[in-house]
Amino acid sequence: DAGVTQSPTHLIKTRGQQVTLRCSPKSGHDTVSWYQQALGQGPQFIFQYYEEEERQRGNFPDRFSGHQFPNYSSELNVNALLLGDSALYLCASSLGGGRDQPQHFGDGTRLSIL
Amino acid sequence: QKEVEQDPGPLSVPEGAIVSLNCTYSNSAFQYFMWYRQYSRKGPELLMYTYSSGNKEDGRFTAQVDKSSKYISLFIRDSQPSDSATYLCAMSGRTPLVFGKGTRLSVIA
């Protein structure tokens, strides 16, 4: 039973560049959420995708955007990268789009901005 | 006041000890409460998932929720060196999942 997979595992970018991170949900799951985890902090909710639409969004600027594909996989795009965007980006999957379903996480993409 | 407060530790205990980890919260709309374990350079792993108040036990782990006090706990019995990790509490209700900062636990053999 495949868990949540994310790619790439590490990425180094410079300020002003753009980045795309990818996520495949756990087998049988149809909902994908993205989180940003700064060093020494808990994950912060970015947004959630269900039925190929952004259903909820946290307090992140429009530079952060996403997409969900018909096979339920998802991408997170970040434009005009800032030094403060350096963090671990986590993808979590769940079932049915509801807040009552437990979320299962991948191991994340570690993004470093120089 | 932050929505979810969690003492970051670090917490160091001898092998075999009972560990108590706690979170407090301010949003009375939270209904679903979770504990995640996160090893270094890994994603959070779901340990316990509870709805509303009460206790839930799974092996060496017991989760408690007291909604009247807005307080949740995770107990680890017979702690092992392999339990050394960061433990994150998380909760949701009308809001998406909100995490505490995590407590770093070290179990010393």
Side-chain angles (χ1 to χ4, degrees):
Chain A
D1 182 15
V4 179
T5 57
Q6 293 187 243
S7 64
T9 53
H10 294 91
L11 209 48
I12 299 174
K13 292 285 188 179
T14 57
R15 281 178 296 175
Q17 285 190 310
Q18 177 263 343
V19 68
T20 297
L21 311 181
R22 295 176 176 83
C23 172
S24 291
K26 180 179 167 74
S27 178
H29 284 182
D30 57 7
T31 305
V32 173
S33 301
W34 287 93
Y35 294 81
Q36 181 194 66
Q37 186 176 23
L39 201 61
Q41 303 293 318
Q44 298 261 321
F45 175 75
I46 302 175
F47 43 54
Q48 183 184 77
Y49 277 84
Y50 174 63
E51 294 185 333
E52 300 181 49
E53 290 186 3
E54 182 183 296
R55 292 303 181 108
Q56 302 171 73
R57 189 178 183 93
N59 189 24
F60 279 81
D62 291 344
R63 299 187 297 108
F64 289 76
S65 63
H67 188 78
Q68 186 179 36
F69 299 94
N71 67 352
Y72 308 124
S73 68
S74 177
E75 287 181 350
L76 165 66
N77 301 292
V78 187
N79 294 324
L81 287 166
L82 304 173
L83 291 177
D85 295 332
S86 294
L88 179 67
Y89 287 85
L90 294 162
C91 170
S93 73
S94 55
L95 186 61
R99 297 190 184 102
D100 60 334
Q101 295 298 311
Q103 295 188 21
H104 298 262
F105 285 81
D107 285 337
T109 294
R110 189 162 299 279
L111 177 62
S112 298
I113 312 301
L114 303 179
Chain B
Q1 182 187 11
K2 285 201 159 190
E3 272 195 299
V4 179
E5 299 275 5
Q6 183 175 11
D7 186 339
L11 181 62
S12 185
V13 301
E15 183 176 358
I18 297 174
V19 176
S20 172
L21 304 167
N22 312 294
C23 288
T24 58
Y25 62 93
S26 57
N27 189 340
S28 57
F30 288 141
Q31 295 179 288
Y32 306 100
F33 304 90
M34 286 136 273
W35 286 95
Y36 287 85
R37 177 175 64 195
Q38 187 172 25
Y39 292 114
S40 180
R41 302 195 172 277
K42 292 288 190 180
E45 172 194 6
L46 182 65
L47 283 177
M48 301 291 281
Y49 174 79
T50 54
Y51 170 70
S52 198
S53 285
N55 293 1
K56 183 175 181 178
E57 187 173 320
D58 184 0
R60 296 185 296 111
F61 299 92
T62 299
Q64 287 186 351
V65 174
D66 182 349
K67 290 191 73 178
S68 62
S69 302
K70 297 190 178 66
Y71 188 87
I72 70 170
S73 302
L74 178 71
F75 298 95
I76 307 174
R77 290 184 298 281
D78 187 25
S79 56
Q80 302 295 309
S82 58
D83 294 328
S84 297
T86 296
Y87 289 79
L88 297 153
C89 64
M91 46 200 81
S92 67
R94 288 192 286 272
T95 63
L97 208 55
V98 179
F99 283 83
K101 291 180 70 170
T103 300
R104 181 180 291 183
L105 171 68
S106 294
V107 181
I108 310 301

